[in-house]
Amino acid sequence: MPLDPLPELMVEPIVRAALLEDLGRAGDITTDAVVPPGHESRLVLAARQQGVVAGLDCARLAFRLLDGAVRFTPRVTDGTAVEPGTVLAEVEGSSRALLTGERTGLNLACRLSGIATATAGLVEAIAGHKAQIVCTRKTTPGLRSLEKYAVRAGGGSNHRFGLDDAVLIKDNHVAIAGSVREAVSRVRARAGHMVKVEVEVDTLAQLEELLTIGADAVLLDNMTPQTLAEAVRMVGGRMLTEASGRVNLQTAPAIAAAGVDLISVGWLTHSAPILDIGLDWVG
């Protein structure tokens, strides 16, 4: 499925805020002193590691917000797997704009490409199973829309974008309500008919209680593959099954083999290493 880019209206405020953070109170005092006005350069963004690209629009905006005449020519699209040395984009125009926007553009492109690369690795690890890799709300404050986009670029899917788009009853909700049944009952009395309801369970006993009430999905937290397989059998297709906890490249295949529909992974957006991308002067 083709990857739909984020609307520029959503991306620009994030890039603009990052540039303002870097420019501070006096702008780029180094570049303004060294580079004369009117000087132009040509540079290339190039991958220095194998991985999957995401965030090229962030890099483009980092330059063009500083100078609208900068020419940014992508050579690959987000979601593309690349090898070390692959040219991702060519950038031409004001040397001042290119050098001043370099770090902001690279910070975002490296971060998002790292998330896409990590996601693609997990997607490949569970190939052949029906499970989908999904992200969580464990995102960098202010960057959620970009980081969730990067997950999609890597072949994954998105979980909730915020607290208001679905109900997810977690263990602390259950503890305060007193039981799974009571927590679900309170939600049913308040949530609208369009709101999906998912419930986290830690044990098969909690799952058995949930099955007497019903929900749209169940989050099976920190269960072994054997317990997950039994949980999937108990559910019998009556709701979506999501596994979470201890997911990495080594454990993901066994978790997927248990038959769950979704595998949620928090570290994709809170701890994935960056993909090293450089901006190299070529003339």
Side-chain angles (χ1 to χ4, degrees):
M1 177 181 292
L3 177 68
D4 291 327
L6 288 176
E8 189 165 307
L9 183 67
M10 295 173 61
V11 180
E12 181 178 324
I14 298 172
V15 178
R16 186 182 296 274
L19 284 169
L20 288 172
E21 178 182 54
D22 219 14
L23 288 166
R25 295 166 297 178
D28 184 353
I29 59 176
T30 307
T31 296
D32 289 350
V34 173
V35 180
H39 190 277
E40 294 203 348
S41 295
R42 184 165 67 92
L43 299 95
V44 296
L45 274 81
R48 292 176 176 164
Q49 291 176 287
Q50 183 183 55
V52 175
V53 177
L56 289 180
D57 274 348
C58 296
R60 175 180 60 82
L61 281 170
F63 301 123
R64 288 186 57 82
L65 284 173
L66 292 166
D67 187 328
V70 166
R71 299 173 294 282
F72 187 94
T73 307
R75 294 304 181 197
V76 300
T77 58
D78 283 354
T80 301
V82 297
E83 297 295 326
T86 302
V87 172
L88 310 182
E90 297 178 5
V91 196
E92 298 177 81
S94 164
S95 299
R96 285 188 169 187
L98 299 185
L99 295 182
T100 298
E102 173 182 2
R103 181 43 48 201
T104 294
L106 287 179
N107 280 348
L108 291 168
C110 290
R111 171 72 177 150
L112 300 185
S113 295
I115 292 171
T117 299
T119 303
L122 280 175
V123 170
E124 182 178 2
I126 66 168
H129 299 287
K130 70 174 183 177
Q132 290 181 291
I133 297 295
V134 299
C135 55
T136 70
R137 286 171 40 248
K138 296 176 182 178
T139 54
T140 308
L143 297 184
R144 181 169 295 169
S145 61
L146 295 182
E147 291 179 345
K148 284 183 172 284
Y149 166 80
V151 168
R152 299 197 300 276
S157 300
N158 297 146
H159 208 285
R160 292 190 298 172
F161 277 79
L163 295 171
D164 62 340
D165 58 0
V167 167
L168 177 50
I169 299 173
K170 303 275 284 181
D171 53 355
N172 286 332
H173 296 111
V174 172
I176 291 170
S179 68
V180 169
R181 177 182 293 276
E182 179 61 21
V184 173
S185 176
R186 292 180 187 182
V187 164
R188 295 289 191 204
R190 179 158 181 164
H193 70 284
M194 296 291 288
V195 177
K196 296 284 188 179
V197 177
E198 181 171 17
V199 182
E200 176 186 275
V201 300
D202 301 316
T203 66
L204 294 181
Q206 286 183 321
L207 174 59
E208 191 170 6
E209 181 184 4
L210 177 62
L211 289 172
T212 67
I213 313 162
D216 298 293
V218 58
L219 174 58
L220 306 164
D221 192 41
N222 282 304
M223 294 183 177
T224 66
Q226 294 76 17
T227 304
L228 285 172
E230 176 59 18
V232 170
R233 186 198 66 77
M234 290 171 62
V235 170
R238 285 176 283 176
M239 61 183 78
L240 283 173
T241 53
E242 174 186 346
S244 70
R246 307 190 189 99
V247 181
N248 54 49
L249 288 173
Q250 290 70 46
T251 61
I255 293 171
V260 295
D261 298 298
L262 308 168
I263 301 175
S264 56
V265 189
W267 65 262
L268 288 177
T269 51
H270 69 61
S271 299
I274 68 162
L275 182 72
D276 192 6
I277 298 171
L279 184 67
D280 302 319
W281 188 84
V282 293

